[in-house]
Amino acid sequence: MFASKMMMDNKVHISDGTTGGMPSAKSNKNHLFGHAIGEDLVRRYFSRSLDKKDKVGLPAFGMQALCLPPERRVFKLCFLCELMAVIAGLVMFFSAYLLRFDATSTFGIMGAFFANVSLMCNLTGILQCLFMGFKLSAGKGSVYEAVDVLQGVGQTFMLVIFGANASGMSYMFYSLDLTTDDYLRWANLGFFATMFCYSYVFIIWYFNSYEPLVAWHVWSWTYELFKPMFVISWLRMGRVPTRERAAAQLEYFLTDLPDDVMAILKADGNV
């Protein structure tokens, strides 16, 4: 049921109002399938209707780059890919150090499991950054190339986050396995829990609260997975509904969009 819900949420909504599958290349003037998908995502992200069926999901992480001129857009996206790759690489080496194939205790086995999860998440994220960086460096910086990359940025971002979390869990179990003193064990566990919670409070306070449009466009499974973060953001911003705050941010973006993005929106009558 969960997988079916994800598949339903991930459907691309075609600009003519129909849903299901991907936009047809025949409906696009340039007859390029990738361009049709890109234009569809741009229209849905910058749509003033903020209809729930038009949510773009994980590609919303980074869609603000479309508000920049093409020459700056490429630089920002390359920097984002490089940043994710560097962080993933550093965490991956830490996870590799924690990975023990000879673990026999419960804490040791759990630590090895989370170390393996972290290593694979970060390694996959690095490879994805490689291909996204190649796409950006080999292209012209058009809105279509940017949207092609943005469709993968959100997934890579989530992989790096999950990899970092798994690395922290691995370190916690590794510490509990090697610590012999019960008081020190509880102290380590308490400090880890405190820092883990603080890291998410930091994200809520300085990122989620100020990005309502991203929060509005996330898919239902993402919202349910991180629901406490969205609820705390709502409380921090004076209990103003996310849709209302997203509409205000959207109007701010629409006041100064690059010509290539505006051309897509004007062609569909969204602006």
Side-chain angles (χ1 to χ4, degrees), residues 163-186:
N165 286 338
S167 179
M169 295 294 291
S170 176
Y171 178 77
M172 182 194 70
F173 284 113
Y174 181 79
S175 174
L176 293 176
D177 185 40
L178 296 183
T179 303
T180 57
D181 185 83
D182 289 338
Y183 291 105
L184 181 58
R185 181 177 293 177
W186 280 107

PDB file of all heavy atoms in Angstrom, residues 163-186:
ATOM      1  N   GLY A 163      22.497   8.963   4.918  1.00  0.00           N
ATOM      2  CA  GLY A 163      23.833   8.433   5.156  1.00  0.00           C
ATOM      3  C   GLY A 163      24.471   9.029   6.393  1.00  0.00           C
ATOM      4  O   GLY A 163      25.117   8.314   7.177  1.00  0.00           O
ATOM      5  N   ALA A 164      24.293  10.336   6.594  1.00  0.00           N
ATOM      6  CA  ALA A 164      24.843  10.981   7.786  1.00  0.00           C
ATOM      7  C   ALA A 164      24.153  10.480   9.052  1.00  0.00           C
ATOM      8  O   ALA A 164      24.803  10.230  10.077  1.00  0.00           O
ATOM      9  CB  ALA A 164      24.700  12.496   7.668  1.00  0.00           C
ATOM     10  N   ASN A 165      22.824  10.322   8.982  1.00  0.00           N
ATOM     11  CA  ASN A 165      22.091   9.802  10.145  1.00  0.00           C
ATOM     12  C   ASN A 165      22.530   8.385  10.485  1.00  0.00           C
ATOM     13  O   ASN A 165      22.716   8.040  11.659  1.00  0.00           O
ATOM     14  CB  ASN A 165      20.584   9.832   9.871  1.00  0.00           C
ATOM     15  CG  ASN A 165      20.007  11.228   9.920  1.00  0.00           C
ATOM     16  OD1 ASN A 165      20.584  12.127  10.528  1.00  0.00           O
ATOM     17  ND2 ASN A 165      18.873  11.425   9.285  1.00  0.00           N
ATOM     18  N   ALA A 166      22.676   7.551   9.461  1.00  0.00           N
ATOM     19  CA  ALA A 166      23.092   6.166   9.696  1.00  0.00           C
ATOM     20  C   ALA A 166      24.505   6.120  10.263  1.00  0.00           C
ATOM     21  O   ALA A 166      24.817   5.262  11.106  1.00  0.00           O
ATOM     22  CB  ALA A 166      23.023   5.365   8.397  1.00  0.00           C
ATOM     23  N   SER A 167      25.360   7.032   9.828  1.00  0.00           N
ATOM     24  CA  SER A 167      26.713   7.087  10.370  1.00  0.00           C
ATOM     25  C   SER A 167      26.687   7.430  11.857  1.00  0.00           C
ATOM     26  O   SER A 167      27.420   6.842  12.661  1.00  0.00           O
ATOM     27  CB  SER A 167      27.544   8.125   9.608  1.00  0.00           C
ATOM     28  OG  SER A 167      28.844   8.217  10.133  1.00  0.00           O
ATOM     29  N   GLY A 168      25.833   8.374  12.230  1.00  0.00           N
ATOM     30  CA  GLY A 168      25.697   8.720  13.636  1.00  0.00           C
ATOM     31  C   GLY A 168      25.170   7.566  14.464  1.00  0.00           C
ATOM     32  O   GLY A 168      25.638   7.313  15.588  1.00  0.00           O
ATOM     33  N   MET A 169      24.190   6.842  13.914  1.00  0.00           N
ATOM     34  CA  MET A 169      23.658   5.671  14.623  1.00  0.00           C
ATOM     35  C   MET A 169      24.728   4.598  14.779  1.00  0.00           C
ATOM     36  O   MET A 169      24.831   3.950  15.828  1.00  0.00           O
ATOM     37  CB  MET A 169      22.470   5.111  13.855  1.00  0.00           C
ATOM     38  CG  MET A 169      21.262   6.038  13.787  1.00  0.00           C
ATOM     39  SD  MET A 169      20.504   6.318  15.400  1.00  0.00           S
ATOM     40  CE  MET A 169      19.812   4.705  15.722  1.00  0.00           C
ATOM     41  N   SER A 170      25.536   4.421  13.749  1.00  0.00           N
ATOM     42  CA  SER A 170      26.608   3.432  13.822  1.00  0.00           C
ATOM     43  C   SER A 170      27.609   3.790  14.910  1.00  0.00           C
ATOM     44  O   SER A 170      28.042   2.927  15.683  1.00  0.00           O
ATOM     45  CB  SER A 170      27.321   3.335  12.468  1.00  0.00           C
ATOM     46  OG  SER A 170      28.415   2.459  12.536  1.00  0.00           O
ATOM     47  N   TYR A 171      27.970   5.065  14.967  1.00  0.00           N
ATOM     48  CA  TYR A 171      28.913   5.500  15.996  1.00  0.00           C
ATOM     49  C   TYR A 171      28.328   5.294  17.394  1.00  0.00           C
ATOM     50  O   TYR A 171      29.046   4.901  18.330  1.00  0.00           O
ATOM     51  CB  TYR A 171      29.272   6.965  15.786  1.00  0.00           C
ATOM     52  CG  TYR A 171      30.207   7.505  16.841  1.00  0.00           C
ATOM     53  CD1 TYR A 171      31.559   7.201  16.805  1.00  0.00           C
ATOM     54  CD2 TYR A 171      29.728   8.292  17.882  1.00  0.00           C
ATOM     55  CE1 TYR A 171      32.426   7.674  17.785  1.00  0.00           C
ATOM     56  CE2 TYR A 171      30.582   8.773  18.866  1.00  0.00           C
ATOM     57  CZ  TYR A 171      31.926   8.469  18.809  1.00  0.00           C
ATOM     58  OH  TYR A 171      32.768   8.931  19.779  1.00  0.00           O
ATOM     59  N   MET A 172      27.030   5.553  17.542  1.00  0.00           N
ATOM     60  CA  MET A 172      26.402   5.367  18.848  1.00  0.00           C
ATOM     61  C   MET A 172      26.475   3.909  19.289  1.00  0.00           C
ATOM     62  O   MET A 172      26.873   3.602  20.412  1.00  0.00           O
ATOM     63  CB  MET A 172      24.939   5.826  18.802  1.00  0.00           C
ATOM     64  CG  MET A 172      24.218   5.703  20.143  1.00  0.00           C
ATOM     65  SD  MET A 172      22.433   5.862  20.006  1.00  0.00           S
ATOM     66  CE  MET A 172      22.018   4.333  19.153  1.00  0.00           C
ATOM     67  N   PHE A 173      26.100   2.985  18.396  1.00  0.00           N
ATOM     68  CA  PHE A 173      26.146   1.574  18.748  1.00  0.00           C
ATOM     69  C   PHE A 173      27.585   1.092  18.955  1.00  0.00           C
ATOM     70  O   PHE A 173      27.841   0.242  19.816  1.00  0.00           O
ATOM     71  CB  PHE A 173      25.463   0.734  17.666  1.00  0.00           C
ATOM     72  CG  PHE A 173      23.966   0.807  17.716  1.00  0.00           C
ATOM     73  CD1 PHE A 173      23.236   1.406  16.694  1.00  0.00           C
ATOM     74  CD2 PHE A 173      23.260   0.274  18.782  1.00  0.00           C
ATOM     75  CE1 PHE A 173      21.861   1.474  16.739  1.00  0.00           C
ATOM     76  CE2 PHE A 173      21.880   0.329  18.833  1.00  0.00           C
ATOM     77  CZ  PHE A 173      21.178   0.940  17.812  1.00  0.00           C
ATOM     78  N   TYR A 174      28.507   1.627  18.158  1.00  0.00           N
ATOM     79  CA  TYR A 174      29.917   1.285  18.320  1.00  0.00           C
ATOM     80  C   TYR A 174      30.412   1.717  19.703  1.00  0.00           C
ATOM     81  O   TYR A 174      31.133   0.982  20.388  1.00  0.00           O
ATOM     82  CB  TYR A 174      30.724   1.972  17.216  1.00  0.00           C
ATOM     83  CG  TYR A 174      32.209   1.692  17.230  1.00  0.00           C
ATOM     84  CD1 TYR A 174      32.704   0.507  16.713  1.00  0.00           C
ATOM     85  CD2 TYR A 174      33.109   2.620  17.729  1.00  0.00           C
ATOM     86  CE1 TYR A 174      34.076   0.248  16.720  1.00  0.00           C
ATOM     87  CE2 TYR A 174      34.472   2.378  17.738  1.00  0.00           C
ATOM     88  CZ  TYR A 174      34.946   1.184  17.228  1.00  0.00           C
ATOM     89  OH  TYR A 174      36.282   0.929  17.239  1.00  0.00           O
ATOM     90  N   SER A 175      29.982   2.908  20.129  1.00  0.00           N
ATOM     91  CA  SER A 175      30.361   3.414  21.444  1.00  0.00           C
ATOM     92  C   SER A 175      29.750   2.575  22.556  1.00  0.00           C
ATOM     93  O   SER A 175      30.420   2.234  23.542  1.00  0.00           O
ATOM     94  CB  SER A 175      29.928   4.871  21.587  1.00  0.00           C
ATOM     95  OG  SER A 175      30.154   5.351  22.899  1.00  0.00           O
ATOM     96  N   LEU A 176      28.473   2.217  22.401  1.00  0.00           N
ATOM     97  CA  LEU A 176      27.815   1.408  23.424  1.00  0.00           C
ATOM     98  C   LEU A 176      28.434   0.011  23.513  1.00  0.00           C
ATOM     99  O   LEU A 176      28.475  -0.593  24.591  1.00  0.00           O
ATOM    100  CB  LEU A 176      26.323   1.289  23.107  1.00  0.00           C
ATOM    101  CG  LEU A 176      25.498   2.581  23.196  1.00  0.00           C
ATOM    102  CD1 LEU A 176      24.061   2.325  22.761  1.00  0.00           C
ATOM    103  CD2 LEU A 176      25.541   3.165  24.597  1.00  0.00           C
ATOM    104  N   ASP A 177      28.910  -0.491  22.396  1.00  0.00           N
ATOM    105  CA  ASP A 177      29.496  -1.830  22.379  1.00  0.00           C
ATOM    106  C   ASP A 177      30.844  -1.873  23.091  1.00  0.00           C
ATOM    107  O   ASP A 177      31.170  -2.853  23.766  1.00  0.00           O
ATOM    108  CB  ASP A 177      29.644  -2.297  20.934  1.00  0.00           C
ATOM    109  CG  ASP A 177      30.136  -3.730  20.841  1.00  0.00           C
ATOM    110  OD1 ASP A 177      29.689  -4.558  21.655  1.00  0.00           O
ATOM    111  OD2 ASP A 177      30.977  -4.019  19.972  1.00  0.00           O
ATOM    112  N   LEU A 178      31.628  -0.810  22.948  1.00  0.00           N
ATOM    113  CA  LEU A 178      32.981  -0.807  23.509  1.00  0.00           C
ATOM    114  C   LEU A 178      33.051  -0.242  24.926  1.00  0.00           C
ATOM    115  O   LEU A 178      34.023  -0.487  25.636  1.00  0.00           O
ATOM    116  CB  LEU A 178      33.920  -0.010  22.601  1.00  0.00           C
ATOM    117  CG  LEU A 178      34.138  -0.565  21.185  1.00  0.00           C
ATOM    118  CD1 LEU A 178      35.142   0.283  20.423  1.00  0.00           C
ATOM    119  CD2 LEU A 178      34.598  -2.017  21.233  1.00  0.00           C
ATOM    120  N   THR A 179      32.047   0.518  25.324  1.00  0.00           N
ATOM    121  CA  THR A 179      32.074   1.122  26.661  1.00  0.00           C
ATOM    122  C   THR A 179      31.673   0.085  27.710  1.00  0.00           C
ATOM    123  O   THR A 179      30.632  -0.569  27.589  1.00  0.00           O
ATOM    124  CB  THR A 179      31.110   2.321  26.728  1.00  0.00           C
ATOM    125  OG1 THR A 179      31.453   3.266  25.721  1.00  0.00           O
ATOM    126  CG2 THR A 179      31.204   3.001  28.086  1.00  0.00           C
ATOM    127  N   THR A 180      32.502  -0.046  28.731  1.00  0.00           N
ATOM    128  CA  THR A 180      32.237  -1.033  29.787  1.00  0.00           C
ATOM    129  C   THR A 180      31.556  -0.423  31.005  1.00  0.00           C
ATOM    130  O   THR A 180      30.816  -1.105  31.707  1.00  0.00           O
ATOM    131  CB  THR A 180      33.550  -1.693  30.235  1.00  0.00           C
ATOM    132  OG1 THR A 180      34.467  -0.672  30.666  1.00  0.00           O
ATOM    133  CG2 THR A 180      34.170  -2.467  29.070  1.00  0.00           C
ATOM    134  N   ASP A 181      31.784   0.858  31.243  1.00  0.00           N
ATOM    135  CA  ASP A 181      31.178   1.514  32.397  1.00  0.00           C
ATOM    136  C   ASP A 181      29.737   1.923  32.070  1.00  0.00           C
ATOM    137  O   ASP A 181      29.490   2.607  31.066  1.00  0.00           O
ATOM    138  CB  ASP A 181      31.991   2.749  32.783  1.00  0.00           C
ATOM    139  CG  ASP A 181      31.464   3.399  34.048  1.00  0.00           C
ATOM    140  OD1 ASP A 181      31.816   2.939  35.148  1.00  0.00           O
ATOM    141  OD2 ASP A 181      30.680   4.364  33.923  1.00  0.00           O
ATOM    142  N   ASP A 182      28.781   1.525  32.893  1.00  0.00           N
ATOM    143  CA  ASP A 182      27.368   1.812  32.627  1.00  0.00           C
ATOM    144  C   ASP A 182      27.068   3.306  32.659  1.00  0.00           C
ATOM    145  O   ASP A 182      26.280   3.800  31.851  1.00  0.00           O
ATOM    146  CB  ASP A 182      26.486   1.088  33.641  1.00  0.00           C
ATOM    147  CG  ASP A 182      26.466  -0.416  33.418  1.00  0.00           C
ATOM    148  OD1 ASP A 182      26.775  -0.833  32.286  1.00  0.00           O
ATOM    149  OD2 ASP A 182      26.155  -1.165  34.367  1.00  0.00           O
ATOM    150  N   TYR A 183      27.680   4.036  33.584  1.00  0.00           N
ATOM    151  CA  TYR A 183      27.436   5.474  33.672  1.00  0.00           C
ATOM    152  C   TYR A 183      27.931   6.198  32.421  1.00  0.00           C
ATOM    153  O   TYR A 183      27.253   7.078  31.879  1.00  0.00           O
ATOM    154  CB  TYR A 183      28.110   6.047  34.924  1.00  0.00           C
ATOM    155  CG  TYR A 183      27.472   5.609  36.209  1.00  0.00           C
ATOM    156  CD1 TYR A 183      28.092   4.651  37.022  1.00  0.00           C
ATOM    157  CD2 TYR A 183      26.242   6.123  36.623  1.00  0.00           C
ATOM    158  CE1 TYR A 183      27.506   4.236  38.214  1.00  0.00           C
ATOM    159  CE2 TYR A 183      25.653   5.709  37.811  1.00  0.00           C
ATOM    160  CZ  TYR A 183      26.282   4.763  38.603  1.00  0.00           C
ATOM    161  OH  TYR A 183      25.701   4.350  39.771  1.00  0.00           O
ATOM    162  N   LEU A 184      29.106   5.810  31.963  1.00  0.00           N
ATOM    163  CA  LEU A 184      29.641   6.412  30.751  1.00  0.00           C
ATOM    164  C   LEU A 184      28.806   6.033  29.538  1.00  0.00           C
ATOM    165  O   LEU A 184      28.606   6.847  28.631  1.00  0.00           O
ATOM    166  CB  LEU A 184      31.094   5.976  30.551  1.00  0.00           C
ATOM    167  CG  LEU A 184      31.812   6.553  29.326  1.00  0.00           C
ATOM    168  CD1 LEU A 184      31.810   8.077  29.373  1.00  0.00           C
ATOM    169  CD2 LEU A 184      33.238   6.007  29.243  1.00  0.00           C
ATOM    170  N   ARG A 185      28.300   4.832  29.539  1.00  0.00           N
ATOM    171  CA  ARG A 185      27.440   4.385  28.429  1.00  0.00           C
ATOM    172  C   ARG A 185      26.175   5.235  28.352  1.00  0.00           C
ATOM    173  O   ARG A 185      25.782   5.691  27.270  1.00  0.00           O
ATOM    174  CB  ARG A 185      27.102   2.912  28.614  1.00  0.00           C
ATOM    175  CG  ARG A 185      26.228   2.342  27.513  1.00  0.00           C
ATOM    176  CD  ARG A 185      26.001   0.854  27.733  1.00  0.00           C
ATOM    177  NE  ARG A 185      27.234   0.100  27.562  1.00  0.00           N
ATOM    178  CZ  ARG A 185      27.311  -1.222  27.751  1.00  0.00           C
ATOM    179  NH1 ARG A 185      26.247  -1.897  28.149  1.00  0.00           N
ATOM    180  NH2 ARG A 185      28.456  -1.842  27.569  1.00  0.00           N
ATOM    181  N   TRP A 186      25.526   5.453  29.474  1.00  0.00           N
ATOM    182  CA  TRP A 186      24.320   6.279  29.480  1.00  0.00           C
ATOM    183  C   TRP A 186      24.649   7.732  29.149  1.00  0.00           C
ATOM    184  O   TRP A 186      23.855   8.419  28.479  1.00  0.00           O
ATOM    185  CB  TRP A 186      23.628   6.193  30.842  1.00  0.00           C
ATOM    186  CG  TRP A 186      22.816   4.960  31.019  1.00  0.00           C
ATOM    187  CD1 TRP A 186      23.103   3.874  31.797  1.00  0.00           C
ATOM    188  CD2 TRP A 186      21.569   4.661  30.386  1.00  0.00           C
ATOM    189  NE1 TRP A 186      22.128   2.918  31.694  1.00  0.00           N
ATOM    190  CE2 TRP A 186      21.164   3.378  30.829  1.00  0.00           C
ATOM    191  CE3 TRP A 186      20.758   5.340  29.487  1.00  0.00           C
ATOM    192  CZ2 TRP A 186      19.984   2.774  30.412  1.00  0.00           C
ATOM    193  CZ3 TRP A 186      19.572   4.749  29.059  1.00  0.00           C
ATOM    194  CH2 TRP A 186      19.204   3.487  29.511  1.00  0.00           C
TER     195      TRP A 186
END
